[in-house]
Amino acid sequence: MSTQPTEVSPADLPLSTPLQAEVFRSRGVYSWWLDTARSPTPEAAGLGPLPGVPRLVHSSGRAELLYVGRARRDLHGRIAGQHLRRTRSSALRRTLLAVLLPGDPSWREGASLDGRDRVVLDGEHEQRLTAWMQEHLLLGWARCETKDDVDALEQRWIAAHQPVLNTESTGHGPELTELKRVYREGLPRRF
């Protein structure tokens, strides 16, 4: 969908399971949603306590907004190459691990810290997290013409909807930052 930043709401985007998404190789803004048809609550999906903020319900009625991000160059590369593959380069994946941990300590298995203090997972556990995302999340996206359009749309969606897993530009960011700190605590270092 090509759009101007003022024309689209994340609640109106078509949604797809992450691995089946035919994401364009263009810039844009994407949204991750809890698939409430498969997991009616965050707790049913294994997510620990989330910040107490209202979640936008998708117009289909089958999903709640969790996260908004941007791809200033390539939606496909950002989603398939980072969010569905590498925890080191995905704030979404690192935040998911932090909110999955309270319900299941095994989410720390295979985790370590790189030289920049970012969480990395071994291959088996990267695959486990991707499988969890495929089972519990849906993905929507809007294409944008320019980098300025991307930035404006992402800022507008975050300001308007305060997605529960976004740390930057949200009132609940410090709470998520603390959960991520607790997750990293005691992890071995990998250089």
Side-chain angles (χ1 to χ4, degrees):
M1 160 189 309
S2 184
T3 181
Q4 294 300 317
T6 58
E7 295 176 358
V8 67
S9 165
D12 296 326
L13 297 174
L15 299 178
S16 174
T17 55
L19 295 175
Q20 281 71 44
E22 294 184 20
V23 183
F24 295 95
R25 292 193 179 274
S26 64
R27 59 181 57 100
V29 177
Y30 51 87
S31 54
W32 289 90
W33 301 76
L34 177 66
D35 184 349
T36 55
R38 291 191 275 176
S39 299
T41 66
E43 295 79 17
L47 295 169
L50 295 176
V53 295
R55 286 185 288 286
L56 176 68
V57 175
H58 190 267
S59 61
S60 68
R62 68 172 281 211
E64 292 180 355
L65 182 64
L66 295 178
Y67 185 85
V68 167
R70 68 179 180 210
R72 296 180 92 208
R73 291 187 200 133
D74 179 3
L75 280 162
H76 182 271
R78 181 76 177 125
I79 292 165
Q82 293 178 352
H83 288 314
L84 292 174
R85 192 170 292 165
R86 290 193 305 268
T87 299
R88 172 183 304 184
S89 58
S90 170
L92 170 64
R93 286 175 77 90
R94 292 189 303 272
T95 304
L96 281 171
L97 287 170
V99 297
L100 285 164
L101 181 66
D104 182 355
S106 72
W107 284 105
R108 291 187 92 205
E109 293 173 9
S112 59
L113 297 175
D114 69 6
R116 294 175 59 195
D117 224 23
R118 292 177 300 184
V119 173
V120 294
L121 296 178
D122 63 25
E124 174 186 344
H125 293 89
E126 290 282 18
Q127 290 174 3
R128 178 184 180 208
L129 182 55
T130 299
W132 182 92
M133 292 171 74
Q134 176 69 13
E135 182 178 346
H136 297 287
L137 302 184
L138 296 169
L139 176 66
W141 62 92
R143 292 167 58 189
C144 296
E145 297 297 323
T146 69
K147 289 178 183 179
D148 289 342
D149 289 344
V150 169
D151 293 345
L153 184 57
E154 181 200 36
Q155 289 170 7
R156 186 170 68 86
W157 283 0
I158 291 172
H161 307 295
Q162 296 288 294
V164 71
L165 295 182
N166 280 82
T167 54
E168 293 185 23
S169 303
T170 64
H172 56 273
E175 187 176 341
L176 291 172
T177 299
E178 176 61 13
L179 286 172
K180 293 199 283 192
R181 186 199 63 74
V182 168
Y183 183 90
R184 288 191 316 269
E185 198 169 77
L187 288 179
R189 293 209 172 269
R190 181 192 317 179
F191 294 98

